[in-house]
Structure formats: structure tokens, C-alpha cells
Amino acid sequence: MKSPLRAWPWLALWLALLATPVMAGLFDRFGDSTSERILEADQAFQLTLNVLDPVTLEARWTIAPGYYLYRDKFRLNVPDAPGISITALEIPAGESKEDPYFGRQAVFHNEAVIVARLQREPSSAQTVVVKANYQGCAEIGVCYPPLSQTVSVALPTPPPHPPGARAEMRADDSPRPPGEGTGVRAERYEAEQDRLARLLGEQRFLAIPAFFGFGLLLAFTPCVFPMVPILSSLIAGQGPNLSRGRAIRLSLSYVLAMAATYTLAGVLAALLGQNVQAWFQNPWVISLFSGMFVLLALSMFGLYELQLPSDWQNRLVEWSNRQRGGQYTGVAIMGFLSALIVGPCVAPPLIGVLTFIAVTGDLTLGAVALFALSFGMGVPLLIIGASTGHWLPHAGHWMERIKRVFGVMLLMVALWLLDRVLPAAIIMVLWATLLIVIATYMGALQPMVHGAPPWRTLVKGFGLVLLIYGVLLLVGVAAGGRDPLQPLRGVSLIANATGEAAALPFHRVKTVADVDRAVREAGGRTVMLDFYADWCVSCKELERETFSDRAVRMALADVVTLQADVTANDAADQALLHRFGVIGPPAILFFGVDGKERRERRVVGFMAAEAFKAHVQQL
């Protein structure tokens, strides 16, 4: 009998031979998996070089998720370019990371943007080759060797200087025009949303009060106005025994829910790169929400009582005796829905916060700034809701009349929502019908009774105004007008008298390929791309107030004007928004004669005609 110890070598050899194909297969799989997970360097780090002005370049790296670049590895130079040199690089601070290879390092995730300042001689070349050196790693522990990439760019011709004058260099190594220092101050333009993002990054928590103030200003935009009758009707529907304290608590429930919704939607938009509120602008959702307001309004007119079956009511009464928060929950739910459906507005402060979150990844500070911004928007609502509980009559016939007033306001909100999904002509007819019915109820067509109180005359006077405006709406829609606020605009006699065109002539684009083709075919002209949606209130403000202005049209006479309608929010729309890093409309982009976007000239939100004309002329 053989010893067991002598059999071990043979047993080990047999197991090794058996395991060889198995282990080889495992290693092959592991190798294939790793190769699939690790991107090529040019896929993980995509470099784009933009020319901001004759002496400023912008190098932008788009970094794939799960990868990062080292801050201290960036190098830019212009070899073989006589008369041109890079004198300074502006590199952001980056994020601190404990790297397994180099220790604690400053790195960049998602995106890295470097600004290079050039020094140029008058006879320098117009086209240069820029060499960029950089190095990065994947989070799974694989690092790339030092990388190098060359990009050819065309530099604009520097502005001419008067004879005998010499261009000096500023502290930031950009040319100083002759005469500066004698009271003339030249500053590089910076988009408002980018300036606000930089403010939040530099001042951090000191900027939170500033964003609260921006929210107070946004509270007076058309996106927040419809929330006033919604909250007021909720307060009025509580009955005649509503105390001021309860009105304040109900208003606070509404405003806090609205602010929390804006904050959550903003954080998701920054992480996903899409406007979450746009998902709720579906025509079916808007129609259902509008129909709910119509039902609430009809109940305030006394046509019926919105109530549950008696068995359910008895159970709810028993439940409410144990818990008094049910009505607060209902008001909070209405605040949540209002923030998603009523007011999907995009403004520079909001985009500034979203840009800060997307670039730095600091969700905590970004969420605090978003909450301060949205709570500032809700402060006027809080005041109005609390005041409504104090000013409302507590009993008698007046209370019924006040409820009817709020019913009319809810009908107006319903029409305001339907304006996003119905044709303009139908909306104008509905507005005219509502105004004429209200005027009739106010006694506009009835003779005044002798000895009637003065307030009755005042009510009839307002009714006559509404009646006349309702008739103008019908005349306007019959003559081709489509704007309820300016019903006679577009009517032939009015248009000829004022010399105004119906609308700015836009060339419609839908996909990324459409935009690229239009920019290529611009023939050396500046291109403007406007992002529009039917559910975007500020977009319609731009069309009505800014794009229809004669001075603005003259300023855009030599500009190729494109418009992307992203109302449907389908795959093509989302791809186009993602391509240019736009969260949602309104956003206006400008492309220079070289076909590159002038990102620092991007306009977000509404801009008045005079300011927009000056903005275009500076291009």
C-alpha cells in the first residue's frame, strides 16, 4: 500500500492539468471584461479647443463617467508658431482626491476647462497648431500614460491699433487697448449664469443669501403668478372660521413643498442633464391638471359640492379627530404639483446653480442654494396666503362672492395651462368667452338702478372694461391675431401703421445634424440658435416682447436665426439639448464665423429688447 504522502504530488499535478483550461477561460473572460470596461484615451478624455477672442483660447476636456484628469499634468504650447506664445494658463482649483499612485491630488471629473492667454505680434500667423499634454486615470485603478494631442485652430485678426500706438499687456496677459487707464475700462464678457456659478463656487455659503434674493426677484415673473390664485383658493376653501395662524401654516406647507420640489428637480436636472419638469408638460398631464382646476372653480360657484360618499366621510372624520395634518398634506401635494406643472421656468440663477453642481459635484451646497432660491420665490406667496386668511370675510354673503372671485381666477389658471397644448386661436376664443361671461355677471349690460351704492358703479365699470377686451379678442382672432395680450397685433391695419412684422423669421431645426448643417452653410455669418417650447412661458415672452421689436430685428438682419422647438421633449430634442449642455428653454446660443459656439455669449431666460439688441451688437 502506497503512502498517502507519496500520492500527493501526482494528485496535485492531475488537479493542475484539470484546472488549466478552466483557469485559462477565467483569465480570458477577465481580460475581455477589462478591455470592455476601459475606454480608449480619446474616448475617455475628449478635447475641444475654442477661440474666445484673438488672444484667448479655451481648452475643454469632456471626461467620461468613472474617469478623471490630474490638474498638474495640463500643458499647452504652440510649437512652430513664430510671433505667438502662451503667456498664462487659467486652471480651476479642481477637486481633492487621494490617489493611489500620486497621493493627494487635485483632479477633474466630468469636465475640465482651461483658458490660455496668448501674446501675438502683428505679423503672426492666423492658423496655429496647439499641443495639449495631459494625463488621467480610471476610477477602477487603471492609469493612462502621459497623453498628447494637437489641434489646429484659426485665430481671428487682432483689432487694429491707431498709428504709433502700442498694445501693452495686462496682468492677465491679454492685450490692453490704447487709451485704457485713462478712464476707459475693458472687461471680458461673462455670461450671467456662469458668473453666478462662479459666485457660488468662490463665496460658497456667503452666496446663499444672494440666491435667496434672486428667488425674490423671480417671484415676480409670469411663471409664479398662477400660483397666487391656486394658494388663495386653497385658503379661501377652508371656510369662514380660518384663523391667521392656520392660514400661515397652510401657506408654509404649500411653499415648503414647492421649494423642496424645485430643489429635488434641480438636483436631478444637474445630474441627468435634463429638465425634470419638462417630463410633466405632456398634453395629457396638462389637460388633466387644467380640468381639475375647472372642477374646483365650478364648486366655488356653488354648482355642486366636492365631497366623498358618506361612509368615507365618516371614516375621514374619525381619522381627522386623531390626526390634524390631513389638510396640510393636501395643500403640500398641491404645492408639489404646482412646482412641477405650473412653473417650469429656466432663469440664469437656476442655471448657475445647476452648472455649479454639474461641474463640482457638490450636491450639498448646490441643494442649499436651490432651496434658498426657490424659497425666495415662495416668500410673496407665503405673505399673500397668510394675508388672505386675515382679509377674507368670515361670514355672510360677501364670503360667497369672494369664493366666486377665486373661482374665476382658477378658471384663468386653467386657460393659462391650456395655452401650452391648444392652438392660439382656440385659446383666444376661450379667453374672450370667459371675459364676456364675467362682464355680464358684473352687470356690464344691465342698466344702473337709481340710488345704487357707489361700489356697484365701480363693479359695472370694471365689467365694461372686460366686455370691451373680450370683444377685441374676438375681433383679433377673426382677423388673424394670435396673442391674447395683444389681440390686434398682426391685423393688417395695425401692422402697417406700426411697421411691425408678425414674427422673427426662424429656420426650424430638429436634430443635431440639422444644427451642424445650418452652421456649416452659414457662409461666414453669425448663427443664433433659439431653444423654444410651447410650455415655456419665458419663450413666449421673448417672442412677444423681444423678437418682435424692430430694433432687435435690425440687429439680427445679418444673423442666421435658427429655432429648435423642444416641446415634444422626444429623443431628438433631448439629444440636441444634451449636445449643447442646455437644461431647458429658453436658451439662446450664438456661433461665430468659425462655426464655434461663443459660450460666454449664451443667453438663458428672458431678456428685454433693449438689452438683447445691445447683446447682439457686441458680437
Side-chain angles (χ1 to χ4, degrees), residues 546-571:
T546 304
F547 294 153
S548 63
D549 185 81
R550 180 187 300 179
V552 170
R553 294 200 310 272
M554 291 178 63
L556 293 172
D558 197 39
V559 175
V560 178
T561 52
L562 310 177
Q563 187 174 71
D565 189 341
V566 295
T567 302
N569 197 35
D570 54 20

PDB file of all heavy atoms in Angstrom, residues 546-571:
ATOM      1  N   THR A 546     -39.434  90.674 -27.256  1.00  0.00           N
ATOM      2  CA  THR A 546     -38.064  90.889 -27.740  1.00  0.00           C
ATOM      3  C   THR A 546     -37.928  90.659 -29.233  1.00  0.00           C
ATOM      4  O   THR A 546     -37.514  91.557 -29.973  1.00  0.00           O
ATOM      5  CB  THR A 546     -37.100  89.959 -26.978  1.00  0.00           C
ATOM      6  OG1 THR A 546     -37.236  90.203 -25.565  1.00  0.00           O
ATOM      7  CG2 THR A 546     -35.658  90.220 -27.377  1.00  0.00           C
ATOM      8  N   PHE A 547     -38.296  89.461 -29.700  1.00  0.00           N
ATOM      9  CA  PHE A 547     -38.075  89.143 -31.107  1.00  0.00           C
ATOM     10  C   PHE A 547     -38.963  89.954 -32.042  1.00  0.00           C
ATOM     11  O   PHE A 547     -38.664  90.076 -33.229  1.00  0.00           O
ATOM     12  CB  PHE A 547     -38.301  87.651 -31.354  1.00  0.00           C
ATOM     13  CG  PHE A 547     -37.300  86.770 -30.667  1.00  0.00           C
ATOM     14  CD1 PHE A 547     -37.616  85.464 -30.307  1.00  0.00           C
ATOM     15  CD2 PHE A 547     -36.032  87.236 -30.371  1.00  0.00           C
ATOM     16  CE1 PHE A 547     -36.688  84.655 -29.672  1.00  0.00           C
ATOM     17  CE2 PHE A 547     -35.099  86.435 -29.731  1.00  0.00           C
ATOM     18  CZ  PHE A 547     -35.434  85.145 -29.383  1.00  0.00           C
ATOM     19  N   SER A 548     -40.054  90.495 -31.529  1.00  0.00           N
ATOM     20  CA  SER A 548     -40.935  91.312 -32.369  1.00  0.00           C
ATOM     21  C   SER A 548     -40.494  92.775 -32.441  1.00  0.00           C
ATOM     22  O   SER A 548     -41.065  93.550 -33.202  1.00  0.00           O
ATOM     23  CB  SER A 548     -42.372  91.237 -31.837  1.00  0.00           C
ATOM     24  OG  SER A 548     -42.441  91.789 -30.524  1.00  0.00           O
ATOM     25  N   ASP A 549     -39.494  93.151 -31.655  1.00  0.00           N
ATOM     26  CA  ASP A 549     -39.031  94.535 -31.636  1.00  0.00           C
ATOM     27  C   ASP A 549     -38.271  94.856 -32.932  1.00  0.00           C
ATOM     28  O   ASP A 549     -37.430  94.070 -33.385  1.00  0.00           O
ATOM     29  CB  ASP A 549     -38.125  94.755 -30.419  1.00  0.00           C
ATOM     30  CG  ASP A 549     -37.701  96.203 -30.275  1.00  0.00           C
ATOM     31  OD1 ASP A 549     -38.496  96.997 -29.755  1.00  0.00           O
ATOM     32  OD2 ASP A 549     -36.566  96.519 -30.700  1.00  0.00           O
ATOM     33  N   ARG A 550     -38.561  96.014 -33.500  1.00  0.00           N
ATOM     34  CA  ARG A 550     -37.948  96.394 -34.774  1.00  0.00           C
ATOM     35  C   ARG A 550     -36.438  96.530 -34.640  1.00  0.00           C
ATOM     36  O   ARG A 550     -35.684  96.079 -35.526  1.00  0.00           O
ATOM     37  CB  ARG A 550     -38.552  97.710 -35.276  1.00  0.00           C
ATOM     38  CG  ARG A 550     -37.961  98.164 -36.607  1.00  0.00           C
ATOM     39  CD  ARG A 550     -38.449  99.549 -36.983  1.00  0.00           C
ATOM     40  NE  ARG A 550     -39.904  99.584 -37.101  1.00  0.00           N
ATOM     41  CZ  ARG A 550     -40.580 100.700 -37.400  1.00  0.00           C
ATOM     42  NH1 ARG A 550     -39.940 101.840 -37.574  1.00  0.00           N
ATOM     43  NH2 ARG A 550     -41.884 100.663 -37.508  1.00  0.00           N
ATOM     44  N   ALA A 551     -35.950  97.127 -33.563  1.00  0.00           N
ATOM     45  CA  ALA A 551     -34.501  97.304 -33.384  1.00  0.00           C
ATOM     46  C   ALA A 551     -33.799  95.966 -33.265  1.00  0.00           C
ATOM     47  O   ALA A 551     -32.690  95.787 -33.778  1.00  0.00           O
ATOM     48  CB  ALA A 551     -34.230  98.173 -32.155  1.00  0.00           C
ATOM     49  N   VAL A 552     -34.430  95.006 -32.603  1.00  0.00           N
ATOM     50  CA  VAL A 552     -33.838  93.671 -32.481  1.00  0.00           C
ATOM     51  C   VAL A 552     -33.773  93.000 -33.845  1.00  0.00           C
ATOM     52  O   VAL A 552     -32.767  92.375 -34.210  1.00  0.00           O
ATOM     53  CB  VAL A 552     -34.633  92.814 -31.477  1.00  0.00           C
ATOM     54  CG1 VAL A 552     -34.177  91.361 -31.518  1.00  0.00           C
ATOM     55  CG2 VAL A 552     -34.471  93.374 -30.074  1.00  0.00           C
ATOM     56  N   ARG A 553     -34.833  93.123 -34.631  1.00  0.00           N
ATOM     57  CA  ARG A 553     -34.827  92.515 -35.962  1.00  0.00           C
ATOM     58  C   ARG A 553     -33.758  93.134 -36.846  1.00  0.00           C
ATOM     59  O   ARG A 553     -33.117  92.443 -37.644  1.00  0.00           O
ATOM     60  CB  ARG A 553     -36.204  92.648 -36.606  1.00  0.00           C
ATOM     61  CG  ARG A 553     -37.296  91.858 -35.906  1.00  0.00           C
ATOM     62  CD  ARG A 553     -38.489  91.618 -36.823  1.00  0.00           C
ATOM     63  NE  ARG A 553     -38.943  92.851 -37.451  1.00  0.00           N
ATOM     64  CZ  ARG A 553     -39.835  93.693 -36.916  1.00  0.00           C
ATOM     65  NH1 ARG A 553     -40.349  93.406 -35.722  1.00  0.00           N
ATOM     66  NH2 ARG A 553     -40.197  94.770 -37.534  1.00  0.00           N
ATOM     67  N   MET A 554     -33.544  94.436 -36.703  1.00  0.00           N
ATOM     68  CA  MET A 554     -32.495  95.081 -37.489  1.00  0.00           C
ATOM     69  C   MET A 554     -31.113  94.599 -37.049  1.00  0.00           C
ATOM     70  O   MET A 554     -30.220  94.384 -37.870  1.00  0.00           O
ATOM     71  CB  MET A 554     -32.608  96.600 -37.347  1.00  0.00           C
ATOM     72  CG  MET A 554     -33.836  97.196 -38.013  1.00  0.00           C
ATOM     73  SD  MET A 554     -33.956  98.984 -37.786  1.00  0.00           S
ATOM     74  CE  MET A 554     -32.475  99.511 -38.651  1.00  0.00           C
ATOM     75  N   ALA A 555     -30.923  94.408 -35.733  1.00  0.00           N
ATOM     76  CA  ALA A 555     -29.636  93.923 -35.237  1.00  0.00           C
ATOM     77  C   ALA A 555     -29.361  92.504 -35.717  1.00  0.00           C
ATOM     78  O   ALA A 555     -28.203  92.113 -35.893  1.00  0.00           O
ATOM     79  CB  ALA A 555     -29.605  93.981 -33.715  1.00  0.00           C
ATOM     80  N   LEU A 556     -30.427  91.721 -35.943  1.00  0.00           N
ATOM     81  CA  LEU A 556     -30.275  90.340 -36.387  1.00  0.00           C
ATOM     82  C   LEU A 556     -30.385  90.201 -37.903  1.00  0.00           C
ATOM     83  O   LEU A 556     -30.506  89.074 -38.408  1.00  0.00           O
ATOM     84  CB  LEU A 556     -31.341  89.460 -35.731  1.00  0.00           C
ATOM     85  CG  LEU A 556     -31.240  89.278 -34.212  1.00  0.00           C
ATOM     86  CD1 LEU A 556     -32.467  88.545 -33.677  1.00  0.00           C
ATOM     87  CD2 LEU A 556     -29.971  88.519 -33.844  1.00  0.00           C
ATOM     88  N   ALA A 557     -30.335  91.308 -38.620  1.00  0.00           N
ATOM     89  CA  ALA A 557     -30.544  91.263 -40.071  1.00  0.00           C
ATOM     90  C   ALA A 557     -29.500  90.396 -40.770  1.00  0.00           C
ATOM     91  O   ALA A 557     -29.805  89.705 -41.751  1.00  0.00           O
ATOM     92  CB  ALA A 557     -30.536  92.686 -40.642  1.00  0.00           C
ATOM     93  N   ASP A 558     -28.261  90.418 -40.299  1.00  0.00           N
ATOM     94  CA  ASP A 558     -27.185  89.654 -40.944  1.00  0.00           C
ATOM     95  C   ASP A 558     -26.835  88.399 -40.156  1.00  0.00           C
ATOM     96  O   ASP A 558     -25.742  87.855 -40.309  1.00  0.00           O
ATOM     97  CB  ASP A 558     -25.943  90.536 -41.106  1.00  0.00           C
ATOM     98  CG  ASP A 558     -24.967  89.954 -42.120  1.00  0.00           C
ATOM     99  OD1 ASP A 558     -25.441  89.417 -43.137  1.00  0.00           O
ATOM    100  OD2 ASP A 558     -23.743  90.005 -41.877  1.00  0.00           O
ATOM    101  N   VAL A 559     -27.744  87.947 -39.304  1.00  0.00           N
ATOM    102  CA  VAL A 559     -27.519  86.765 -38.477  1.00  0.00           C
ATOM    103  C   VAL A 559     -28.447  85.652 -38.947  1.00  0.00           C
ATOM    104  O   VAL A 559     -29.634  85.884 -39.211  1.00  0.00           O
ATOM    105  CB  VAL A 559     -27.773  87.079 -36.983  1.00  0.00           C
ATOM    106  CG1 VAL A 559     -27.648  85.825 -36.133  1.00  0.00           C
ATOM    107  CG2 VAL A 559     -26.806  88.143 -36.500  1.00  0.00           C
ATOM    108  N   VAL A 560     -27.908  84.457 -39.078  1.00  0.00           N
ATOM    109  CA  VAL A 560     -28.727  83.284 -39.405  1.00  0.00           C
ATOM    110  C   VAL A 560     -29.462  82.862 -38.144  1.00  0.00           C
ATOM    111  O   VAL A 560     -28.836  82.484 -37.147  1.00  0.00           O
ATOM    112  CB  VAL A 560     -27.863  82.137 -39.944  1.00  0.00           C
ATOM    113  CG1 VAL A 560     -28.722  80.913 -40.233  1.00  0.00           C
ATOM    114  CG2 VAL A 560     -27.114  82.563 -41.190  1.00  0.00           C
ATOM    115  N   THR A 561     -30.779  82.929 -38.154  1.00  0.00           N
ATOM    116  CA  THR A 561     -31.580  82.650 -36.955  1.00  0.00           C
ATOM    117  C   THR A 561     -32.201  81.258 -37.061  1.00  0.00           C
ATOM    118  O   THR A 561     -32.999  80.985 -37.959  1.00  0.00           O
ATOM    119  CB  THR A 561     -32.679  83.708 -36.768  1.00  0.00           C
ATOM    120  OG1 THR A 561     -33.435  83.825 -37.987  1.00  0.00           O
ATOM    121  CG2 THR A 561     -32.071  85.060 -36.440  1.00  0.00           C
ATOM    122  N   LEU A 562     -31.833  80.387 -36.143  1.00  0.00           N
ATOM    123  CA  LEU A 562     -32.362  79.030 -36.067  1.00  0.00           C
ATOM    124  C   LEU A 562     -33.229  78.904 -34.821  1.00  0.00           C
ATOM    125  O   LEU A 562     -32.986  79.575 -33.816  1.00  0.00           O
ATOM    126  CB  LEU A 562     -31.238  77.996 -36.004  1.00  0.00           C
ATOM    127  CG  LEU A 562     -30.117  78.090 -37.041  1.00  0.00           C
ATOM    128  CD1 LEU A 562     -29.065  77.025 -36.755  1.00  0.00           C
ATOM    129  CD2 LEU A 562     -30.654  77.948 -38.445  1.00  0.00           C
ATOM    130  N   GLN A 563     -34.224  78.037 -34.878  1.00  0.00           N
ATOM    131  CA  GLN A 563     -35.053  77.771 -33.693  1.00  0.00           C
ATOM    132  C   GLN A 563     -35.317  76.275 -33.585  1.00  0.00           C
ATOM    133  O   GLN A 563     -35.734  75.632 -34.550  1.00  0.00           O
ATOM    134  CB  GLN A 563     -36.380  78.523 -33.750  1.00  0.00           C
ATOM    135  CG  GLN A 563     -37.176  78.407 -32.455  1.00  0.00           C
ATOM    136  CD  GLN A 563     -38.425  79.283 -32.462  1.00  0.00           C
ATOM    137  OE1 GLN A 563     -39.373  78.984 -33.172  1.00  0.00           O
ATOM    138  NE2 GLN A 563     -38.414  80.352 -31.675  1.00  0.00           N
ATOM    139  N   ALA A 564     -35.043  75.738 -32.400  1.00  0.00           N
ATOM    140  CA  ALA A 564     -35.295  74.332 -32.100  1.00  0.00           C
ATOM    141  C   ALA A 564     -36.501  74.253 -31.160  1.00  0.00           C
ATOM    142  O   ALA A 564     -36.435  74.722 -30.023  1.00  0.00           O
ATOM    143  CB  ALA A 564     -34.075  73.687 -31.456  1.00  0.00           C
ATOM    144  N   ASP A 565     -37.591  73.685 -31.640  1.00  0.00           N
ATOM    145  CA  ASP A 565     -38.807  73.520 -30.843  1.00  0.00           C
ATOM    146  C   ASP A 565     -38.707  72.196 -30.093  1.00  0.00           C
ATOM    147  O   ASP A 565     -38.795  71.119 -30.689  1.00  0.00           O
ATOM    148  CB  ASP A 565     -40.038  73.534 -31.747  1.00  0.00           C
ATOM    149  CG  ASP A 565     -41.338  73.577 -30.960  1.00  0.00           C
ATOM    150  OD1 ASP A 565     -41.317  73.238 -29.758  1.00  0.00           O
ATOM    151  OD2 ASP A 565     -42.380  73.947 -31.530  1.00  0.00           O
ATOM    152  N   VAL A 566     -38.509  72.263 -28.778  1.00  0.00           N
ATOM    153  CA  VAL A 566     -38.337  71.058 -27.964  1.00  0.00           C
ATOM    154  C   VAL A 566     -39.587  70.777 -27.137  1.00  0.00           C
ATOM    155  O   VAL A 566     -39.510  70.189 -26.064  1.00  0.00           O
ATOM    156  CB  VAL A 566     -37.091  71.188 -27.053  1.00  0.00           C
ATOM    157  CG1 VAL A 566     -35.829  71.267 -27.879  1.00  0.00           C
ATOM    158  CG2 VAL A 566     -37.202  72.412 -26.138  1.00  0.00           C
ATOM    159  N   THR A 567     -40.733  71.207 -27.648  1.00  0.00           N
ATOM    160  CA  THR A 567     -41.989  70.983 -26.918  1.00  0.00           C
ATOM    161  C   THR A 567     -42.230  69.501 -26.666  1.00  0.00           C
ATOM    162  O   THR A 567     -42.629  69.106 -25.565  1.00  0.00           O
ATOM    163  CB  THR A 567     -43.163  71.572 -27.715  1.00  0.00           C
ATOM    164  OG1 THR A 567     -42.949  72.969 -27.927  1.00  0.00           O
ATOM    165  CG2 THR A 567     -44.470  71.368 -26.969  1.00  0.00           C
ATOM    166  N   ALA A 568     -41.985  68.660 -27.663  1.00  0.00           N
ATOM    167  CA  ALA A 568     -42.273  67.228 -27.529  1.00  0.00           C
ATOM    168  C   ALA A 568     -41.348  66.552 -26.536  1.00  0.00           C
ATOM    169  O   ALA A 568     -41.702  65.518 -25.957  1.00  0.00           O
ATOM    170  CB  ALA A 568     -42.153  66.547 -28.892  1.00  0.00           C
ATOM    171  N   ASN A 569     -40.142  67.098 -26.313  1.00  0.00           N
ATOM    172  CA  ASN A 569     -39.153  66.515 -25.400  1.00  0.00           C
ATOM    173  C   ASN A 569     -38.875  65.053 -25.751  1.00  0.00           C
ATOM    174  O   ASN A 569     -38.713  64.200 -24.874  1.00  0.00           O
ATOM    175  CB  ASN A 569     -39.637  66.628 -23.951  1.00  0.00           C
ATOM    176  CG  ASN A 569     -38.509  66.426 -22.946  1.00  0.00           C
ATOM    177  OD1 ASN A 569     -37.378  66.812 -23.185  1.00  0.00           O
ATOM    178  ND2 ASN A 569     -38.808  65.801 -21.818  1.00  0.00           N
ATOM    179  N   ASP A 570     -38.818  64.756 -27.061  1.00  0.00           N
ATOM    180  CA  ASP A 570     -38.560  63.390 -27.504  1.00  0.00           C
ATOM    181  C   ASP A 570     -37.053  63.126 -27.551  1.00  0.00           C
ATOM    182  O   ASP A 570     -36.246  63.941 -27.094  1.00  0.00           O
ATOM    183  CB  ASP A 570     -39.205  63.140 -28.868  1.00  0.00           C
ATOM    184  CG  ASP A 570     -38.786  64.173 -29.905  1.00  0.00           C
ATOM    185  OD1 ASP A 570     -37.736  64.831 -29.706  1.00  0.00           O
ATOM    186  OD2 ASP A 570     -39.500  64.351 -30.909  1.00  0.00           O
ATOM    187  N   ALA A 571     -36.677  61.988 -28.114  1.00  0.00           N
ATOM    188  CA  ALA A 571     -35.267  61.593 -28.110  1.00  0.00           C
ATOM    189  C   ALA A 571     -34.400  62.589 -28.880  1.00  0.00           C
ATOM    190  O   ALA A 571     -33.286  62.923 -28.448  1.00  0.00           O
ATOM    191  CB  ALA A 571     -35.124  60.190 -28.708  1.00  0.00           C
TER     192      ALA A 571
END
